[in-house]
Amino acid sequence: MQDLKTRTRDIKRTELAVAAFDLMVRHGYDALTVEELAKGVGVSRATFFRYLGSKDEVAVAAMVEPTSAFAAAFADATSSQSLWDRIRAAFEPSVTSAEADAERVRARILMVRDHPELGDRLRRARMEQIERLVDEMVEQGEGRFAAEMVAAAAVALLDRCISRWAETTGQTLAALLDEAFAELSSRLGPRR
């Protein structure tokens, strides 16, 4: 468990990132300098760099859940469920959060889509989440190789569903993800 100082720093970092990312979505990623972002969120340039370091880091901090989020939700899933159902349950907090603020999340995702360098940074940040999920799966009895393949495929599926959801209307992210997991599960078969 993190100490109070680390948690407080993480909260401040996330708050700054969310505010700065909202400014970038409104005004354009390329339209704002780091100095303008810092001023826009009410901090000095030095404070901005202490917490975030770069404009790309703003996107990562604002959009990627804590590294342990998927692993913790997977650990809480009922062990009697299939592996696919437990992984789907691991994504539920992210889905709920995205749908609760759908317009904002869609705008962020579309901005990332238009800036490939941000997508690359987000994919690298996802790797830590995948590794933590793999570790939890191994702890629950999965072989490491199988856990690595399943976790990577599942997170790629999540990210593809999020992109598709951002580009369309009329279907919830939860329904889209459920449909994708059902398709994957039917083709690969259930795993316990």
Side-chain angles (χ1 to χ4, degrees):
M1 179 160 225
Q2 292 179 325
D3 63 23
L4 180 60
K5 185 176 180 179
T6 302
R7 283 194 314 265
T8 301
R9 185 185 190 310
D10 288 349
I11 290 168
K12 178 71 171 177
R13 179 178 188 268
T14 301
E15 288 174 352
L16 287 173
V18 166
F21 202 52
D22 285 346
L23 285 173
M24 284 193 276
V25 168
R26 272 197 305 276
H27 300 286
Y29 177 81
D30 297 320
L32 297 170
T33 65
V34 169
E35 290 78 13
E36 291 167 329
L37 284 172
K39 183 179 179 181
V41 298
V43 298
S44 69
R45 184 177 188 272
T47 299
F48 182 90
F49 278 115
R50 183 177 331 121
Y51 286 98
L52 294 164
S54 71
K55 286 170 54 173
D56 290 357
E57 191 61 28
V58 168
V60 172
M63 293 188 67
V64 176
E65 302 85 352
T67 302
S68 62
F70 296 154
F74 182 84
D76 290 341
T78 307
S79 62
S80 65
Q81 294 175 304
S82 74
L83 177 61
W84 297 118
D85 289 339
R86 290 183 310 187
I87 292 173
R88 172 59 184 89
F91 297 155
E92 190 56 32
S94 298
V95 170
T96 301
S97 175
E99 288 183 338
D101 200 3
E103 186 176 320
R104 178 191 247 176
V105 173
R106 279 187 168 108
R108 289 175 178 176
I109 292 165
L110 294 175
M111 189 180 86
V112 168
R113 182 198 62 196
D114 294 340
H115 292 83
E117 68 278 11
L118 292 179
D120 290 343
R121 285 292 305 264
L122 290 170
R123 280 186 288 284
R124 285 194 304 271
R126 278 283 199 230
M127 294 308 296
E128 290 181 47
Q129 292 177 312
I130 292 169
E131 287 304 314
R132 292 290 297 273
L133 179 56
V134 166
D135 291 343
E136 183 59 38
M137 291 169 70
V138 168
E139 191 171 305
Q140 291 192 24
E142 294 295 324
R144 179 152 296 275
F145 181 76
E148 288 173 353
M149 297 306 109
V150 169
V155 171
L157 184 81
L158 170 67
D159 288 340
R160 183 63 205 127
C161 286
I162 289 171
S163 293
R164 187 175 186 139
W165 170 75
E167 296 166 355
T168 61
T169 57
Q171 190 172 25
T172 67
L173 177 55
L176 188 59
L177 195 57
D178 289 342
E179 182 181 337
F181 265 83
E183 183 68 27
L184 184 67
S185 181
S186 72
R187 294 191 182 267
L188 298 177
R191 297 199 58 218
R192 289 254 176 226

